[in-house]
Amino acid sequence: MAVLMVGLVVSGITAFPLQQELELAAATLHGVGFADALPGLAEWVDRVSHGLDATYAAYPFIAYGTDWLAFAHLLIALAFIGPLQDPVRNVWVLQWGMLACAGIVPLALIAGWVRGLPLGWQLIDISFAVGGIIPLAAAYVLTRRLERRTTTVPAV
């Protein structure tokens, strides 16, 4: 759970400075020669970086949407405190988390296609579903075992 929570917090915090992160990513790709080795990736990062620069210059309030995205990630991370404190009572949070991870796949594929994102980028987003559902499924299995161990059966 802690790994999942840290991942959510990191992805939340990194959603705040998107423009600066993309500028750094573009500069790094070009500066260390990865742009030559991975031209498609470099072109995509450049395109997104230029798009954010143009959007933020004309409409800086658009960044407010990603601020809320970041905040949502932080709140979702907090939701998993319940299963850490009382896993059996809060097993529903684990189930909800697994459903959320499963929902990433169709969202990434459908919205990514509609918005014109490269398939590789959609697969990166889908990898977050896989990375999230693995610890959640493990915690769910362990929680159900704990529930069976702590449930007393009356003697006959």
Side-chain angles (χ1 to χ4, degrees):
M1 293 290 39
V3 170
L4 178 72
M5 292 171 70
V6 168
L8 284 163
V9 168
V10 168
S11 65
I13 290 171
T14 59
F16 286 111
L18 285 181
Q19 187 176 22
Q20 296 81 4
E21 289 170 342
L22 279 166
E23 289 170 359
L24 178 63
T28 302
L29 282 170
H30 292 284
V32 297
F34 283 160
D36 295 331
L38 302 167
L41 175 63
E43 289 170 16
W44 177 250
V45 170
D46 288 342
R47 182 176 179 204
V48 174
S49 181
H50 294 307
L52 275 182
D53 288 344
T55 301
Y56 288 0
Y59 311 103
F61 55 85
I62 295 295
Y64 191 58
T66 55
D67 294 342
W68 280 105
L69 170 71
F71 182 65
H73 277 79
L74 299 175
L75 288 180
I76 293 167
L78 288 175
F80 291 101
I81 291 174
L84 284 174
Q85 292 177 334
D86 189 346
V88 173
R89 183 173 175 205
N90 293 292
V91 70
W92 68 271
V93 177
L94 302 175
Q95 295 166 327
W96 169 80
M98 290 186 291
L99 286 171
C101 287
I104 290 172
V105 176
L107 177 69
L109 292 174
I110 294 167
W113 176 76
V114 169
R115 304 287 185 210
L117 273 69
L119 179 61
W121 198 264
Q122 295 170 49
L123 294 175
I124 290 170
D125 289 338
I126 289 170
S127 73
F128 288 102
V130 175
I133 205 163
I134 291 171
L136 286 169
Y140 180 77
V141 168
L142 293 171
T143 299
R144 289 304 189 195
R145 282 187 195 161
L146 179 63
E147 182 180 37
R148 284 192 302 275
R149 279 192 7 219
T150 58
T151 304
T152 58
V153 179
V156 179

